[in-house]
Amino acid sequence: ILKTLNSWFWWENIWMPINCTWADFVDRDGLVFPKPHQLYATIPYAFVLLIIRFFSERYVAIPLAKALGIKNVRRVKPQPNPVLESYFRECSRHPSQSDIKGLAKKCNCTVHLVEKWFRRRRNLEIPTVLQKFKEAFWRFSFYLTSSIVGFIFLYDKPWFYDIWQTWVGYPFQTLLPSQYWYYMAEIGFYWSLIFTLGIDIKRKASACDFKAHIVHHLAAIGLMSGSWCGNYVRLGTLVIFVHDTADFWLEAAKMFNYARWEKTCNMLFIIFSIAFFITRMILLPFWILRATLYQPTYYSTTPVIAYFLFNGMLLTLQGLHLYWGYLIFKILKRFVFLK
């Protein structure tokens, strides 16, 4: 069954234009092509990024937070109590008064001590400002680095200025070393975000927003991995660059918000909002989606299945951008009219 599914998944008509086979993607005459098996390397790269994250948070983010006036608040741990811990995890973090009395009898202690235990235990679940700052610092560092490196990789490429060039010579476009590392780092980063979903800070946002982040991470990995296999690397690097150039402004705004630098935070959030609407609401739909939906019809009259898969994932991302754009607009509206 697995062998049959594998053959269906790698069927040429899904991935490449008519009259092309996987045999045509063998390196030759100076041409180097992306290979699907190279994507396995993104998992080890994700763990390398997690190690870099650990050291950067510990040796850069913490000293920076202290310099900005953020203190490491130490919370008092409650006394170990298996009965209360079991109730906290399995039943409720906010027991009723009658339940508290029952637990006090069961533990042979006073009601006041049980209330105090639950209060301290709940406080342990609340992330400190320093924890939030460290997470924002890591994302800021990656997105800023990715934006700078992406610009260095792309600024001298003809398709950075003329998007029609993304299709010239397709599918026989050679893979550049810069494109390889750009893809590997970006996919590895999104894998690392998925690996740390369980330990990263849970925001006070709705469950819908949390699910939107999961959908975004999976769609991003699927889109980049698929574009790698189909050699849509030129377009893929443009999509990555457009996304990352707005995100580091948001993470910078968060960092100064945690440090209570209100004016700096507001200024950075306004810059982020402008960058978000330019990249996600203008460049992505009217520049990149135009290149993926409209321009391929000039090169092939019979679009392959990958055409619909990739554009479906890009439209999914654009739907998420519209959702987040609505939330950003609401914040800006409150900022302008309600001070």
Side-chain angles (χ1 to χ4, degrees):
I1 293 173
L2 290 175
K3 192 174 180 181
T4 303
L5 290 174
N6 185 63
S7 63
W8 287 352
F9 184 80
W10 296 112
W11 184 35
E12 281 91 347
N13 289 0
I14 293 178
W15 297 97
M16 57 192 67
I18 196 168
N19 296 327
C20 286
T21 65
W22 290 113
D24 297 321
F25 281 79
V26 177
D27 296 349
R28 65 184 187 281
D29 303 326
L31 288 175
V32 179
F33 298 104
K35 300 165 185 65
H37 68 82
Q38 291 171 319
L39 293 173
Y40 291 124
T42 59
I43 303 298
Y45 290 150
F47 286 103
V48 171
L49 286 171
L50 289 175
I51 294 170
I52 296 172
R53 173 180 178 174
F54 172 78
F55 284 102
S56 65
E57 286 182 352
R58 184 163 186 172
Y59 296 108
V60 183
I62 292 177
L64 180 60
K66 289 180 180 178
L68 292 173
I70 298 173
K71 297 178 181 178
N72 186 15
V73 178
R74 293 186 180 276
R75 295 197 171 101
V76 180
K77 290 184 177 181
Q79 291 292 327
N81 190 312
V83 175
L84 299 182
E85 183 67 29
S86 176
Y87 187 92
F88 181 87
R89 290 182 177 277
E90 298 173 11
C91 299
S92 174
R93 299 182 180 188
H94 298 272
S96 63
Q97 200 61 34
S98 60
D99 289 335
I100 289 176
K101 289 178 181 178
L103 289 168
K105 277 186 179 182
K106 200 170 183 179
C107 297
N108 195 23
C109 60
T110 64
V111 169
H112 173 71
L113 285 175
V114 173
E115 290 174 339
K116 187 178 179 181
W117 190 95
F118 273 94
R119 187 165 57 251
R120 287 183 173 178
R121 185 64 181 84
R122 284 193 298 268
N123 285 340
L124 286 180
E125 300 288 307
I126 302 171
T128 64
V129 175
L130 182 60
Q131 287 175 299
K132 294 179 181 180
F133 182 90
K134 289 193 299 182
E135 186 178 312
F137 173 82
W138 165 244
R139 292 177 187 241
F140 166 79
S141 301
F142 181 85
Y143 289 133
L144 178 62
T145 304
S146 177
S147 300
I148 294 171
V149 170
F151 180 75
I152 293 170
F153 286 165
L154 289 168
Y155 85 97
D156 61 343
K157 305 299 186 295
W159 54 87
F160 188 57
Y161 307 96
D162 179 12
I163 203 163
W164 283 93
Q165 294 292 324
T166 57
W167 294 107
V168 174
Y170 180 82
F172 304 112
Q173 298 169 340
T174 191
L175 176 70
L176 304 174
S178 60
Q179 293 171 330
Y180 171 84
W181 289 111
Y182 200 27
Y183 256 76
M184 294 297 111
E186 199 75 18
I187 299 175
F189 175 71
Y190 279 104
W191 275 124
S192 73
L193 292 182
I194 289 178
F195 295 158
T196 57
L197 272 174
I199 59 175
D200 279 341
I201 295 165
K202 302 293 188 299
R203 308 292 174 186
K204 290 182 180 179
S206 65
C208 180
D209 196 51
F210 178 74
K211 291 176 182 176
H213 276 88
I214 297 175
V215 171
H216 176 273
H217 297 344
L218 292 175
I221 291 172
L223 187 59
M224 287 186 285
S225 300
S227 66
W228 179 266
C229 296
N231 201 16
Y232 299 103
V233 174
R234 291 183 180 180
L235 271 169
T237 52
L238 293 178
V239 173
I240 293 170
F241 181 73
V242 163
H243 276 75
D244 287 350
T245 46
D247 289 341
F248 69 85
W249 294 106
L250 176 62
E251 301 304 329
K254 288 181 187 177
M255 290 162 60
F256 283 101
N257 178 49
Y258 300 142
R260 299 187 182 279
W261 289 35
E262 189 176 340
K263 290 183 179 178
T264 306
C265 170
N266 291 342
M267 181 185 68
L268 288 169
F269 186 79
I270 290 171
I271 296 173
F272 158 72
S273 302
I274 295 169
F276 182 92
F277 283 105
I278 290 174
T279 55
R280 312 289 178 88
M281 302 298 179
I282 298 175
L283 289 180
L284 186 66
F286 298 108
W287 185 47
I288 291 176
L289 277 176
R290 181 175 175 269
T292 60
L293 287 167
Y294 169 68
Q295 291 179 2
T297 59
Y298 276 80
Y299 294 92
S300 175
T301 54
T302 55
V304 292
I305 297 173
Y307 169 87
F308 301 100
L309 294 175
F310 295 148
N311 282 299
M313 286 187 281
L314 277 172
L315 290 170
T316 299
L317 286 179
Q318 187 57 31
L320 291 171
H321 297 155
L322 292 172
Y323 167 68
W324 283 319
Y326 166 72
L327 297 180
I328 293 167
F329 179 76
K330 282 177 66 177
I331 295 171
L332 288 175
K333 186 178 176 182
R334 289 171 58 190
F335 175 72
V336 172
F337 294 104
L338 301 178
K339 302 297 182 184

